[in-house]
Every structure is written in structure tokens, then in C-alpha cells.
Amino acid sequence: MKMEGFWSMFCGDYGCSEARGKPCSYDFKLFVDPSTCFNHLLIVCIDVLLLMMILFNVMKKSPSKPYQGGIQLQRYSNLQLLSAIANATLGLVYLCLGIWVLEEKWRKTQTALPLHLWLLEFIQGLTWLLVGLAMSLKLKHLSRTWLRVFSVLIFLVSGIFCALSLFYAIRSRELTLKVALDVLSFPGAMLLLLCTYKESNHVDTDREIDESLYAPLNGDSNKIDSVDNVTQFSKAGFFNRMSFWWLNSLMKRGKEKSLQEEDVPKLREDDRAESCYFLFLDQLNRHKQKGPSSQPSVLKTIVLCHWREILISGLFALLKVLAVCCGPLLLNSFILVAEGNESFKYEGFALVISLFVIKIIESLSQRQWYFRSRLIGLNVKSLLTAAIYKKQLRLSNSARLTHSGGEIMNYVTVDAYRIGEFPYWFHQTWTTSVQLGISLVVLINAVGLATVASLVVVVITVLCNTPLAKLQHKFQSKLMVAQDARLKSSSEALVNMKVLKLYAWETSFKNSIEALRDVEVKWLSAVQLRKAYNSFLFWSSPVLVSAATFGACYFLNVPLHANNVFTFVASLRLVQDPIRTIPDVIGVVIQAKVAFARITKFLEAPELENSNVKKSSFNDNVRGSILIKHAHFSWEDNLSNPTLNDINLEVRPGQKVAICGEVGSGKSTLLAAILREVPNTRGPIDVYGKLAYVSQTAWIQTGTIRENVLFGSDMDPQRYQETLHRSSLVKDLELLPHGDLTEIGERGVNLSGGQKQRIQLARALYQNADIYLLDDPFSAVDAHTATSLFNVITTSFSHMLHLWLICCSLMKDGFETWQEYIMEGLAGKTVLLVTHQVDFLPAFDTVLLMSDGKILESGPYDYLLTSSQEFQDLVNAHKETAGSDRPLDVTSSHRPPNTTGEIKKTSVENQFEASQGDKLIKKEEIEKGDQGLKPYLQYLNQNRGYIYFVVAALSHLTFVIGQILQNTWMAASVDNPEVSTLRLIIVYLLMGVVSTLFLLIRTLTTVALGIQSSKSLFLQLLNSLFRAPMSFYDSTPLGRILSRVSSDLSILDLDIPFGFVFAVGATINCYANLTVLAVVTWQVLFVSIPMIYFAIRLQKYYFATAKELMRLNGTTKSLVANHLAESVAGAVTIRAFEEEDRFFTKNLDLIDVNASPYFHSFAANEWLIQRLETVSAVVLASAALCMVILPPGTFSSGFIGMALSYGLSLNMSLVFSIQNQCNISNYIISVERLNQYMHIPSEAPEVIEGNRPPVNWPVVGKVEIHDLQIRYRPDAPLVLHGITCTFEGGHKIGIVGRTGSGKSTLIGALFRLVEPAGGKIIVDGIDISSIGLHDLRSRFGIIPQDPTLFNGTVRYNMDPLSQHSDKEIWEVLGKCQLLEVVQEKEGGLDSSVVEAGANWSMGQRQLFCLGRALLRRSRVLVLDEATASIDNATDLILQKTIRTEFADCTVIIVAHRIPTVMDCTKVLAISDGKMAEYDEPSKLMKREGSLFGQLVKEYWSHFQSADSH
């Protein structure tokens, strides 16, 4: 009874009472119907609950910290004020309504019952009033978590009640003030939600800023700067983000000026590579902790990192699909209204407004979906690039054989890019299905059972596609492998271009790259054809679906009227664009899958084991010691045949150990084992202390000399200057344009071999390590410098004093005291030196003699000399090479005044600085402004590509016209009683089939266009690169070229052809839709013409910024590639110095620098499309309004249906049009970038037909040099100053001089790597400048300074042009001491040579180069410091081989070892780029003040000191 009393008091007649015969039923409908008392009670309860919650929290003491800094004025943001005013007003209106209802009730019935009529409004008024004021204005005094939970709760509650009120209003056809207030409460709740989220974030930042104001000033002004230049996106609010308003400032800046790197804001913290990578790592580690045994899935980890963003973008995608599917339903209502069947007054206007709102919701949700997906893709690409970089720093040697430098480059530039593209397409995989499903429901509504026919066609289409998708996956995998092979070969050729030019092998290597490219193009065309068939299948499916459906309608007797036919057509038109993207989605999924498999395989490759090698915690007594006991080491993890066998080594702190032995005995491997580069298969190895390492092949970073020496350490001016003195670098720095701040080119191209090694030595010295591992660093410097450097390393004063007195006479005046040089550079340090120079050995505490991977002997020099026969042989071999022409008399070493200048200054070889003092490595060239149609025409002009393009465009136009005719026929005839249903359907079907044939022509011509243009552009690029002069390679970082032949070429191959045709096709579609709309309702032209003008202006405004952003994206991509290529090459050095973290940090910075333009580029794309979609929504709404306003009967219902079905897809076709235009304009930048390297000024012709030398030229080998002047650039200073001399045929000519004096430049001039600025060189009566380069270089033999091997076999490395028989090759291998080594290998001549010949020792590589010269048998042979990396015994044999094999040839020897030139007929001494002297060695040594005499005397003093021991 009490319950009944409550109901009657609260509900009155609405209540339930058993007595009155109204039993209490609790039907769910009563709670959701806003007019029922039950619903009102529910709302009152919820409101009271909310009121209690808010009162409780307001009265609680504020949890937030009070501000420091005294009294502060309370400031409210605009958003807070707006929220407070809106919600308080809403509350007041509710209160007024409640009071008014109560007052009316009292006036009429003298009672306040039933309560629900006024209490609901009253309570709601109080709630909204309190909510509006307390939550909007008291934000800073309420808990952030509570605020957010409460605002979400209110948002959900008001959303539900708003929806219920709307449904009630539509159903009952009446609008009350209460319903209006319920609807208005939803925007109020949205404002509140936005306010709490945005402002509570601001409160935190305000506090941080406030606290920082009272913190002491630390001078961190740079931090403030960096905060200012962070993208506006990081601070943008909800509306700002939804409308992309935050981009306006950048768009404006791009319109006003060409954007530079510094103009593009940095990414926000969450999107930076560091955050993404460490989030990824954190997830990976969590997974490993859960299941330590299983290998965590990289894909699963990435999804876990970004699940929230994926979910949010998925919600936007769903919202977009739902908005799109509302269109056909509205169309049905429109046709009914047009026919005069209005459901209520002004229904037409309500439909127009609904249409506009739905289109805006569709636009907002799709833009957010795409933008957020792109952002996820960017984050994934960044973290994968970082992970690949980190991995390559730790990659084991066995893994390096399977993942070459070129492949690692491909993983970053191509694979990571493809995976980064995938999230953008990810939601398409399911939204298309959802959209199809909803469309089928709409179709069932329209055409009933005939929908089954549509479903069958869709299923058949998908089934037909399955085998195509499998084939595409297979071909895509093959394409990636072919791309790897081509890139590997290209990068090898580009790195070693100097060697290829010296040997005249460019054409052969170019042909082999072309052959690899042909294989790649074969798989490319297979992939593109599958894509074309897919495209045809899905583009033609809507035509087949409509044919099947209308056919079914005929047989099932489903009546066809304008409203159901065009509801069907509209649904089909809306679904056809997603269906058409299915091939692209499949393609992207397949590409991402293949790329992901490749990257995952790389990330799971074995790593170096760094356990228990460098002991970090130890006492100082053992610092600098090394202990190896019975250890085996193997490069290939081969337990049965280790590279180093049973190694026992104990090095005490401060001990100096020399390691010597013949070529290939395992000396460098021993150092690598100490560095933990070689897997340790047995026995312990302990290394105590910090290591410094100098590699045999110098590794120099791009950057200044100072950066190379400091190598990440802090600058200590005093220690730095001492390091430069001890490394003999002071002289060189005086000659460089900017001293130690001179930019060094990639791999140190603008330095001589000796300078590179001295920079390496300086780098090691500056590190102040405990243990120094030096791998034959003196092989590339002359004896004079080697001794100076060596003195730094040894600290045994008694050994060196005699030598030093002589050295002093040769030193520069600046070195007044010998202490500066001999100062104990490495005193107290442990040193292990690999050397072939026996002269150095006496100064060492211990000498290790190695052979066949074992330590044969170990002990002091004197002890080994008496006890070891092998060691005696080594020393005797040295004496033999040294004493071949030992001079008996060397004139006084008194230094006459006139030679000071000769030795004081030396020219720096290969110096490319321009006179204005600019950098050698120029900033990458970027096209500026809008290039217009130039790059497009360039692409289409390849092999008459424009013919294919025109055919494709016309075919598409015909297809679109066919579709319009189809629909026009349907619109005109559907309600025409004279046209039978069968005739209607057959004509419709025939038009559809004919138009799809044009579609097939379009897709096939697109593939043909792409393949033709790709082939042509690649050939031009390759020809240009192979014909480019050496100066181009010396001033262009390899990363720039590689990024063009990898990622840019990949875009050219896969993306541009379809991008081109889709851009044209989508634009034709868009204009077709607009035309249909304008033809049916011509009145819409008044709106659409200004709108189209506005859209074109907007697009121009956008392109000003977008083009520059994409160009910046291209150039910054090169920086990432460059840094990666450099790090792959120097991984051993980076690990040895423990600098991995610094290099990784730099890599993260470069990734961010590259990601920022890309981020702003795709955001700008969405910015543009959103504004254009608003334009198209206005046009469509205007057209709909015309139909509503004009009197009924103005348009036939058929044409209204057709116009609106085209109009509804106007938004989507506009988006596709603009998107494809933006895509192609971004892709075409790759053509621009390729074009920059397609027209490099080339060298002289390879062959000059009218002036070819005789077949047997040169016969005698006489070389005449007349006043030869060389400069590297037109505006650069001379490097060689007028050298004149003659090398008689058959003579042996030695060229000597200090490092950097111009020796190698002279050789470069002989091979025309650099053309003379004056003078000429005549060989056997022919001026070498008058003949072709190939004719010249192929007739000379050379053993270059840097021994280079190529990936392939021994046979290929000896004879890449296949001009010699196996027998000849074996003979030559015997002559150059390689016969046994090659015979021991399983494959013999087919044994593998890995990238850069890494599986052969440095000495063996030099012997291969000698073998090539022996095979060529030239009359003129050049040895450019060719025996620097081999031991004396081998050197002796080689000298004999050269003497016998080249007895009647002219041999020009550039040498650092004096004995090498002692038996020469004549010696040319060069100093400072000038000829100092040229005569027979014996005469020169007798000459007073001879430069050669001084070099010889210095060498012999040194030799005698060794001899005396």
C-alpha cells in the first residue's frame, strides 16, 4: 500500500494501482519513453546521485598544491567561461520551466501533485546549474581523475536521454520544450567533457610553469626554444584537432616563403622515435618476462604499443561508415517528398539539414580516421628504423654474411616505409565489409530477395581474387629479393667507383646491374599485372552487381520504381569506391606482410655475445691486462675448424706487445677476438679496462676533423693539442681551409690514406683508454711519419734517442723540442700492435709470432732472434728487402736553409675546397617552388609514355560516360510504362558490359606506362652515375645516391603509374558527379561555381606548403640512410669505443628530423580535404534545397534519384580525387629527385671513334709529363704545380714524398680521374687527353692503394670481364702467393668472397689486386703503395715477381717503404705539389740537401737501430 501511495503521489493518474485496475507492470518501454512517469523517476534518481557526488567533492578540501608565489588572480579560459555560461543557462531554463509548471499546476488544481510534472525539471535545473558553475570554474580545486570520470558519466547519461527524446519527438510528431532541453543538454555535456579534459591538462602545465618561475635560473634557454618550436598539434584542443586549425600557421608560412628545415616544427614528445622505440622495448621486455622461452612476436608487440590509437581511429572509421550508410535512406525519403508524400510539414527542410549534418560528420570522422592511422604508421616506421639501426650495431659476423649493408639499407628505406603505410589501410580491411553488410540491409529494403543476386556476385568476385592475391604475395616476395640483389650490387659499385674507373670496369659492372634490374622488372611487371587484374575485377564488380540484381528483380517480379532503383544505385555508388580500394588494400597488406617478414627475420638474427669480456668491476692492479687461456675462436662458429687455435696470451698492464706473421696468419683476428668480434668457441677470455682500437682500413665519419678526433668525448683543449702533435696532424691542419673544422667527405674522400690513418690514431689517443689495439696503422703513412707516430707509442727512450736525433732535423720548425713528440703518449698503457714493419719490433716488451691461426712464439725481440728460426727468417726477409741496394755513403744530414720550405708545407691531396671556403659536402639540392607540369611531363615522355597515358585517360572517361548513360537510361525509363522491364534491364546491362571493356584497356595501359617509364628512367640514372667524374662521388654522400636508387625508385616502380591514372580517373569521376548534379538541378550552379573556384584556390594554397614538406622529407630521408651506411661500415670501431648509445641517439634525432616534414605533410593533406569536403557538402545541400523549394513535379522522381545518388557520392569522389592528386604530387617528387642525378656532367667519352689508339698501344711505355697542373675544381687552388719529367719505357720509377704531397694526384692524372688544368701527359707519342677513357684505362695496369674485393667468387674478383682461362688464373694465383689459400677452400676458384672481401685478410686482398695486374699484362704498371699491408717475406717474393714479370714494362711505384724504390731506375721526389727532384737514387743520395737523401737517411738510421738489437 505504501508503494501505491508513493506512485499516486509521484505519478498521479500515470501511476499504477491494483484498486484502479492498473496493475504495476515494469515494461522496459516505460523506462525509455520520455513521456512516462517511470522515465521521469529514473532521471530524478540519477540527477540526485550526481548532485550528491558533486556536492561531496566540492565540499572536500582541494587536493591540488597551492601555488607558490603568493596571491594569484584566478583566470578562466574562454572554454571554461563558455561551458559555465552554457550549462548554467541550461540549468536556469530547466529551473524556470519547473517553477512555471508548478505554478500552473497550483493555479489550476490547488495541488502540487503529481510531483513528476515539475520535480523532474526542478532537479535537472539544480543539477545543470551546479554542474555548470562548479565543474567549469572550480577545475583547479577538484581531483583530476574524479573530474574526468564524472564528466564522462554526465556525457553518457545526457547522450542517452537526448537520443530517447529525439526518437520520441520523431515518433510522436510533436516537439515540446522538455524535448528541446534534453537535446540541448547533450552539447552542454560535450562542452563540459572538453573543458575538463583540456583544462585539467592546462592546470598541470600551469603548475609546472609556475614552479619553474620560482626555481633558480639554470640558463636552460635552449630548452625553452625547443618547446616553442614543437608542433602546435601537441597543444591543440578538441575542436582545434578536429578541424586541423593548428596547421594554419605552418600553411601560412609555406605560402609566404619556401620552407626550410628549421621552419618545420618538431614532433611532440609521444611521436618521437625515442618514445616509440622505448615503448616498443618496454612491451617486448614485458612479454619476455611472461614467457621467457618463447620468442615474442614483433607484430603483436607493435599492436600492443598502439592499441589505444588503433581503437580510437577504428571508432572514427565506424562512425564514418555509419554516416555514409545514412545517405541512401535519406535519398528514399527525398524521392517520396518530391512525389508529394510528405510525412510532416517541412520534412524536406529537415532532410536537407540532416543531409548536411551527416556529410559533415562523415568528413570529420574520416579525416580523423586517416590522420590518426597515418600517425600510427609514422610511429611504427620510426620505431622499426630505430630497431633496425640498433640491431645492426650488435649483428654477429655470421648474420652480416646474410644481411649485407645494401640489404640493411633496403630494410630501412623500403620495407619500413611499406609497413609505415599499412596502418593507413588497416581499417579499410574491415570497414569495407561493414559497409557492404549495411548496404545489403538497405538493398533488401529496396529490392527484397533480389539482393541475394548482389551477394552472390560479391562473393564470386572475392573468391576470384583469392588466387590472384596469393600470386601477388609470391611475386611481391620475389620482387623484394630481386630489389635487394640489385641494390646490393649498386651500392658495391658506387662505393668502389674509383677502383672501377681505374680498372675500366664500369661498363661491365653497369651491365651486371642492368641484368639484375631486368630480373627485378620481370617480377615488377608480374606484381603490377596482378594488381591490374585485381583492379579490373573490383572496378567492374558494381556493374555486374547491378546487372545481376536487376535481372533477379525481373525474374522475381520485384517492381522497379524510382525510389527503390535509385536507393539501390546510391548504395552501390557509395560502396563502389571502398570496393575499388580492395585491390590496393590487398596490395598494401601483401607488401607489408612481405616487408614485415624480412624485418622480423633481421631483428631475430644472431647478435655478438658480449658476456664476460670487458670486466667493468676490477681493482686498479689489473687495469689494462688481458688474459686468454687455451681459447679457440671461429668467425663462422665452426667448432671443428677454428680460425684461431689454442690461444694462450697474458698481457700485463702497461706492456707493449707486437704481433707479426705472414699474410693471413690471424693477426687481425686476434685483435678482433679481444674486441669480442669473433665468437669464442672454447676457453675463457678476460679483458680489463677501456679499449681503443685503430682499424687497418681507416673508418672516417662525415663531419669535421675535430668531431672525428673527439669522437663523442668532451673537448679538453690541452689534451686535444697534444693529441694533434703526437699524431703528426698539425702540418696537415695548417694546410686545410678551416683547420680542424674542415668538413671531411664521406669515408674521408678528401684525405690521403696517411691522413686518414693519422686521424684514426688521434681518435684512439684522445680517448685515454687503458688498452690500445692498433691493426697495422702505419702501413699507409710514409716511413718518416710512421717513425714519428711510432715514437708516441713506444716510451723506451734508450731505444729511440739515436733515431730521434736524425728525425729532429726533418721536423718542422714549430716542433722545437722533441719532448712534445716523444712525450709519453701511451706511457703506462697496454699496447697491442699488429705490424709487418720489423724495424719497430725491438722497442716492444713482447713480440708474438703468428702462423696459421696459432701463436708460434712469444717473447722479447732478442730472445726470439736467438731461439726461433721462423722469426729469424722474418727478420732476414726484411733485411733482404731493405738491403737490396743499401747505400754505403749518405751525405751529411745538415739541413740547408732552402729545403725548409719544401718540407714545411705540403699540399693536401684530393682537397676539394672551393675558393670561397665552403664545405666539400654540399647541402643536398632541393627543387624550389611549384615545378608545374615539368616532372609529370618528364615521366610521361619516357618511351612515348604519354600515348599509354592518353589511352588510359580516354578509356576511363568512356567508362564514366558509359555509367552516366546507364543511369540516365534508368532514370528516364524506370517509370515509363512504354518500356518493358526486360528491355529496361537488357539495355542497362549491355551499357555496363561495354563500359567495363574500356576499364580493362585502362588497367593494362597503366601497367605498360609504369614499366616503360621505370625502365627508361633507371637506365638514364645508371648511365649518368657511371659516367659521373670522381669529383661527384667525393662530394656526394653515398646515402643520397642510395636513397634514390632504393626508396625513390621503389615509389617510381610501384606507386606512380597507378597513382597517375587514379588521380586522373578520380578527378573525372568527381567532375562527372558535379555535372550530373548541375544538369538535373541547374540552379545549383549558382553555388557550385564559386565553390569550385574556392576549392581550386584552396588547393593552390595547400600545394605551396605540401610540395616543400615532401621535398624536405626526401632530403632528410637521405640523412638517415647516410648515417646508417656509415654506421654499418664502422660498426667494429663504434663497438670498440663503446659509442653505440651516442650513435643510436644521433640516429633517433635524424629519424625525428625526417618524420616531422612527413607528419606535417599528411596532416596538411587532411587539412585540405576537410575544407574541400565542407565545400562539397554545401553544394549537395544546395542541390537538395533546390529540389525541396521548387514546386513538386519540376523534376521527375527518377532524375531526382539519379542526381542525389551522384550527389551523395560527390563527397567521396572529391576525397578520392584530391587524395590521389596529393599522392601523385608527393610521389612525383621522387621523379624530381632522380632527375637531379640523371644529368650529372659526365667524364670525357669512353671511346673516341675517330681517335682510337693502336691495338698494341702502349708498345714501349714511355711517359712524358709536360708542365702538368692539376686542380680539382675550376675555382680551387692548384694541387700539382707544373711538373715536367719523362719516364723512359721499361724503367722502374719510384715516386716519394711526405703524405699529402701529391703522389696519388699524379697517378690520378695519369688515369685521368682528374683532367689537367694545364700541361699534358704523352704516352708513346699519344696525348692521353685525346683518346677515350676506356681506351686509356684498360691499357694501363694498377695495384691501387685501397685493395678492393667484390661480392662474388675468386674467379670473378680476378677476372670480372671473363677474358682469361682458369689455367691462367691458377698460374697467376701461384705467382702472387695465393695458390695454397685458394686451393684449401672448398670451392677453389668458385670460393665465395663476401661484401668488401671481409672474409679475406687485408694482405690477401692486396695480393688479389696484384693478381689482376699480372693477368692484364700492361706495358705501364702503377703500384700505388701496393705492398703496405703485407709482411716482408711476401713483399720480397712480390718484388721479385714484379721484377721478372714486368721486366720490360714501365713500372711506376708510389712507395712509403724506402727499400721498395731503392732498386728503381729513377726516383721522383714531390713536395708541396711541385717536383723537388728527379734522378737516379744513387745520385740523389749524394746530392746536398736532397729530400730523397733525407728520407733514406732517416729510414736507415731507424733500420740500424733495429739491427743493433
Side-chain angles (χ1 to χ4, degrees), residues 174 354 1070:
E174 61 173 299
S354 307
C1070 181

Side-chain angles (χ1 to χ4, degrees), residues 888-904:
L888 301 170
D889 172 41
V890 180
T891 51
S892 159
S893 67
H894 171 69
R895 189 178 59 186
N898 68 322
T899 59
T900 313
E902 289 178 349
I903 306 167
K904 186 170 182 176

Side-chain angles (χ1 to χ4, degrees), residues 26 145 199 369 578 754 788 971 989 1062 1075 1089 1170 1241 1302 1414:
Y26 299 101
T145 313
E199 294 304 323
W369 159 22
S788 314
L989 176 66
F1062 286 165
T1075 308
I1089 288 171
Q1170 189 171 65
L1414 289 169

Side-chain angles (χ1 to χ4, degrees), residues 302-324:
I302 289 173
V303 171
L304 282 173
C305 288
H306 300 284
W307 70 269
R308 194 178 283 105
E309 293 90 336
I310 292 169
L311 199 64
I312 292 169
S313 57
L315 288 171
F316 277 116
L318 184 63
L319 186 60
K320 182 256 171 184
V321 170
L322 295 174
V324 164

Side-chain angles (χ1 to χ4, degrees), residues 29 70 205 306 592 613 763 864 1088 1321 1353 1477:
K29 284 180 185 172
T205 28
H306 300 284
V613 55
R763 180 192 329 170
L864 289 185
S1088 58
I1321 301 175
T1353 61
E1477 53 204 11

